[in-house]
Amino acid sequence: AQSVTQLGSHVSVSEGALVLLRCNYSSSVPPYLFWYVQYPNQGLQLLLKYTSAATLVKGINGFEAEFKKSETSFHLTKPSAHMSDAAEYFCAVRRPGADGLTFGKGTHLIIQP
Amino acid sequence: NAGVMQNPRHLVRRRGQEARLRCSPMKGHSHVYWYRQLPEEGLKFMVYLQKENIIDESGMPKERFSAEFPKEGPSILRIQQVVRGDSAAYFCASSPNADTEAFFGQGTRLTVV
């Protein structure tokens, strides 16, 4: 079985500050890992994914995430927050060859002007 | 290439009625996944289908819920005799195969009154 824990249901940062959204996973085998963003009343948009290639993954909108096997983490970062980054962010895991994604509960990112 | 299309976007049903949610995958995608998102929760996997086959329905409630993906036409998630607890956002995702990331639709928000 696999699971995802996102620390902090709400994270607030100032515009221009570093964004750090935490994600820890548990999986019996090396998983695929994903970050999605959801804007209000919208579907999910893929930000980035890790599929056992480079451990530092760059995504859209300036986001990146680093896979750390020893820490079972896949934290999402962005050097400088923008007001348009305010949204809900979901970390997800999938065992290679398995069906469907297992999602964390999400982190609501708030950007203070 | 249009994205994953879900309709309706909003659906209101009275308790005891049936709800039918439709999902047209992206062109060339034969794998469809349905997820449910309850308020303040992450997405929960419900069912994975390929054309005319249910591959994994481990996340589907045992009663009242069914899904299909016919040879022609959209995938349908059907909820019979809806109850208030069925109120949620239902998302469909599609992919060309089981090993690539899935693209999400904008969801159907079901409200049971």
Side-chain angles (χ1 to χ4, degrees):
Chain A
Q2 52 213 7
S3 65
V4 177
T5 302
Q6 291 185 240
L7 294 175
S9 59
H10 292 76
V11 170
S12 180
V13 302
S14 299
E15 188 176 17
L18 171 71
V19 175
L20 171 60
L21 304 182
R22 299 178 187 275
C23 173
N24 288 88
Y25 69 91
S26 67
S27 177
S28 56
V29 298
Y32 294 159
L33 293 158
F34 306 81
W35 275 100
Y36 285 87
V37 60
Q38 183 182 32
Y39 296 100
N41 297 316
Q42 298 293 317
L44 275 71
Q45 181 181 9
L46 181 67
L47 278 177
L48 48 80
K49 62 179 179 179
Y50 166 78
T51 56
S52 74
T55 56
L56 181 62
V57 181
K58 294 187 182 298
I60 61 172
N61 301 341
F63 285 93
E64 62 182 37
E66 186 172 8
F67 171 67
K68 291 187 176 180
K69 184 178 179 181
S70 60
E71 298 178 8
T72 61
S73 69
F74 191 56
H75 302 329
L76 182 71
T77 60
K78 181 174 180 177
S80 177
H82 192 273
M83 295 299 291
S84 61
D85 294 327
E88 192 83 16
Y89 291 80
F90 293 97
C91 182
V93 62
R94 192 180 87 185
R95 181 171 52 85
D99 311 321
L101 295 163
T102 299
F103 283 86
K105 290 191 174 184
T107 297
H108 186 63
L109 178 62
I110 301 163
I111 311 296
Q112 305 279 4
Chain B
N1 188 6
V4 178
M5 303 300 292
Q6 289 189 249
N7 68 82
R9 290 291 308 278
H10 300 274
L11 182 61
V12 179
R13 284 287 177 267
R14 295 186 184 279
R15 281 178 293 173
Q17 290 185 320
E18 178 179 286
R20 281 184 176 241
L21 288 64
R22 294 175 184 76
C23 170
S24 296
M26 290 179 68
K27 187 177 181 180
H29 288 195
S30 59
H31 297 241
V32 166
Y33 307 81
W34 285 94
Y35 293 83
R36 177 166 63 176
Q37 183 180 32
L38 294 168
E40 306 299 321
E41 295 284 328
L43 281 74
K44 302 292 186 185
F45 168 76
M46 299 181 75
V47 63
Y48 163 41
L49 309 104
Q50 293 180 31
K51 282 287 188 181
E52 300 183 275
N53 291 304
I54 296 174
I55 307 302
D56 180 356
E57 57 181 347
S58 59
M60 289 277 273
K62 296 291 184 239
E63 297 177 348
R64 301 188 297 109
F65 284 72
S66 62
E68 63 178 13
F69 188 18
K71 186 176 180 181
E72 301 290 339
S75 176
I76 305 288
L77 179 67
R78 181 182 178 202
I79 311 172
Q80 295 178 292
Q81 299 177 316
V82 296
V83 300
R84 287 231 171 100
D86 297 332
S87 296
Y90 292 83
F91 289 94
C92 170
S94 75
S95 66
N97 59 63
D99 287 328
T100 55
E101 74 269 17
F103 293 83
F104 282 79
Q106 292 191 308
T108 293
R109 279 151 184 85
L110 172 65
T111 302
V112 180
V113 297

